[in-house]
Amino acid sequence: MTSSGFEQVRHRPPSPLDAPRELVVACAPMRSNVNLSTIARTAGCCGVHRMIVCGHAKLDRTIARDGAEQVQLEVRNSLAPVLRTLRADGYRLVGLEQTTNSADLHHYAFQRRTALVIGNERAGLTEDELALMDDCVEIPVWGLPYSYNVATATSMALYEYCRQYPG
C-alpha cells in the first residue's frame, strides 16, 4: 500500500447489472474502423450487448479489446431500415447530433429502452435519418473544434445513459 492509501487494482471485475441493458447503439457507416472499435470497447464497458453498424464495418480487436466479444455486432447496408425496425420494437431513437432542436446531454433524461444513433464522422446523420429520430442530444463544447470526435462523443453519451441507469 502506498503512503496515500491507494493501491492500483487492475482489471477489477465488472459491476453486476440487475437486468440486461435495454440500450442499442446504431451507427451510420464510419470512415474509421478505429472509431468504430473504440465505440465497441466503450459499449462493452457499459454493458451494451448489441451494436448495429452500417457499411463495411470491421472491428480492430486490439482497440476494441474485450468489447469485440462482449458486443454483438450486426452489420447492415443502411441505417434507415434499421431505425424503423428498432422503433417498431419499442426503442426510443435518440440521435447524437447537433441540430436546431437537440437537447443538451447534461439535461436529457434517457428512456431505458433507447437506441443511441450515431452518425458518420464527417457528415453526421442524414436528413432522412434525422427525420426518424424521436430526440437528438448534443454535447456542449467550450472551444474549438466545434464538436467532439465521434468515438469520444459516443463514449460520453453512453456513460451518461449508464449514470442514469446504473444497475
Side-chain angles (χ1 to χ4, degrees), residues 30 32 34-36 38-39 42 96 98 118-122 139 141 145-157:
M30 295 279 169
S32 166
V34 171
N35 283 331
L36 186 63
T38 302
I39 292 169
T42 303
L96 183 58
Q98 295 172 332
I118 311 303
N120 174 272
E121 296 99 320
R122 295 269 187 234
I139 303 167
V141 295
Y146 297 101
S147 64
Y148 295 95
N149 165 276
V150 68
T152 303
T154 302
S155 296
M156 291 181 203

Side-chain angles (χ1 to χ4, degrees), residues 58-114:
K58 184 179 176 191
L59 293 183
D60 180 330
R61 292 180 176 278
T62 60
I63 296 168
R65 304 214 17 193
D66 292 335
E69 285 81 40
Q70 288 291 115
V71 179
Q72 176 188 349
L73 200 68
E74 301 172 25
V75 181
R76 301 288 186 266
N77 289 330
S78 59
L79 192 53
V82 166
L83 298 177
R84 288 187 199 92
T85 300
L86 287 168
R87 173 172 286 128
D89 289 344
Y91 286 89
R92 184 152 191 96
L93 304 180
V94 179
L96 183 58
E97 187 68 84
Q98 295 172 332
T99 70
T100 52
N101 293 310
S102 55
D104 183 326
L105 182 66
H106 297 139
H107 305 289
Y108 182 75
F110 282 99
Q111 289 189 7
R112 187 173 290 275
R113 194 165 177 83
T114 291

